[in-house]
């Protein structure tokens, strides 16, 4: 089965930049998506198609892709950004979807 | 307003069956891909299944041959039939819409419904 690998945790101080990475063999060929999930809530889409931002998501959220790794960058982190972040993509055939294991962002 | 309202769930014994429902408003289930995602207590998100606009269905290996995704056009509702339930199926189950406008990103999520498999 296909897997996406994320670093389990990232910690930054307010105002700093947080970078969360996600690795997978099919990422050069398949889009990646990023979701933010706060405790007790449903996930929210923050980045789609590697680097596009849905309406209503602050500009400090951005995405990028390089080879088998995609990165979610949060510039000028705020306390409200503390949450779990998940990448999501699919295998090469787009018939098996998968989430990364999640990264807990802690704002110090 | 675009939304998904979930129902079903609860406590079920191992080996039992259950059906989850996900009623859509503001858009047509039949014209969209739809998906189910679950989250075991304290764990990460796990993709479960999706149905495409042609009615083709796809499943994670962990639920294949035990779960069935379907939709009812008359009441604009997505379903997930769970059978042969195991303790490891205990999770919050979310339905979601992979948006055509957002390249497949899941833009609308249900509130989630808890399924607990225990004797």
């Amino acid at each position: 089965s296909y897997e996406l690998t994320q670093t389990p945790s990232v910690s930054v101080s307010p105002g700093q930049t947080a970078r969360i990475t996600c690795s997978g063999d099919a990422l050069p060929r398949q889009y990646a998506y990023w979701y933010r999930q706060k405790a007790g809530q449903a996930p929210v889409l923050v980045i789609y198609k590697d680097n596009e931002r849905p309406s209503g998501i602050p500009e400090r959220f951005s995405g990028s892709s390089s080879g088998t790794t995609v990165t979610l960058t949060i510039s000028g982190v705020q306390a409200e950004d503390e949450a779990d972040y998940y990448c999501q993509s699919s295998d090469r055939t787009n018939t098996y979807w998968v989430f990364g294991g999640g990264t807990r962002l802690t704002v110090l | 307003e675009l939304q998904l309202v979930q129902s079903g769930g609860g406590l079920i014994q191992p080996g039992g069956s259950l059906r989850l429902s996900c009623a859509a408003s503001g858009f047509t289930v039949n014209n969209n891909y739809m998906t189910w995602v679950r989250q075991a207590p304290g764990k990460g998100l796990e993709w479960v299944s999706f149905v495409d606009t042609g009615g083709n269905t796809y499943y994670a290996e962990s639920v294949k041959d035990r779960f069935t995704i379907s939709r009812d056009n008359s009441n604009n509702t997505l379903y997930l039939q769970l059978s042969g339930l195991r303790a490891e199926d205990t999770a919050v189950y979310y339905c979601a819409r992979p948006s055509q406008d957002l390249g497949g990103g899941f833009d609308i999520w249900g509130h989630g419904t808890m399924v607990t498999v225990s004797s």
Side-chain angles (χ1 to χ4, degrees), chain B:
Chain B
E1 181 186 6
L2 303 175
Q3 65 175 351
L4 294 168
V5 178
Q6 297 185 229
S7 58
L11 176 63
I12 188 78
Q13 292 188 341
S17 298
L18 199 62
R19 189 178 78 164
L20 307 182
S21 300
C22 172
S25 57
F27 69 97
T28 303
V29 163
N30 193 44
N31 294 340
N32 285 270
Y33 280 48
M34 295 296 296
T35 190
W36 288 95
V37 174
R38 70 183 180 183
Q39 187 169 34
K43 302 298 184 181
L45 301 174
E46 179 187 14
W47 170 71
V48 172
S49 176
F50 79 86
V51 55
D52 67 18
T53 52
N56 300 301
T57 58
Y58 304 89
Y59 300 92
E61 284 298 321
S62 59
V63 306
K64 199 172 184 179
D65 299 325
R66 298 189 300 123
F67 290 8
T68 303
I69 190 172
S70 64
R71 56 194 181 192
D72 185 335
N73 301 331
S74 64
N75 59 17
N76 205 27
T77 298
L78 177 74
Y79 298 101
L80 186 68
Q81 178 72 40
L82 292 67
S83 61
L85 283 163
R86 307 165 180 167
E88 55 264 36
D89 296 317
T90 294
V92 173
Y93 285 74
Y94 295 99
C95 58
R97 182 186 80 163
S99 168
Q100 296 172 32
D101 291 338
L102 301 185
F106 305 169
D107 66 337
I108 304 169
W109 291 72
H111 51 80
T113 188
M114 184 72 201
V115 173
T116 302
V117 183
S118 175
S119 55

Side-chain angles (χ1 to χ4, degrees), chain A residues 1 31 33 35 37 41-45 48-49 54 86 88 94-101, chain B residues 33 35 37 39 43-47 50 58-61 94 98 102-106 109-110:
Chain A
S1 62
Y31 285 125
Y33 308 84
Y35 300 86
Q37 186 182 35
Q41 298 182 17
V44 172
L45 179 69
Y48 66 97
K49 290 174 64 177
Y86 295 90
Q88 180 256 317
N94 201 28
T95 59
Y96 191 93
W97 295 357
V98 63
F99 284 91
Chain B
Y33 280 48
T35 190
V37 174
Q39 187 169 34
K43 302 298 184 181
L45 301 174
E46 179 187 14
W47 170 71
F50 79 86
Y58 304 89
Y59 300 92
E61 284 298 321
Y94 295 99
L102 301 185
F106 305 169
W109 291 72

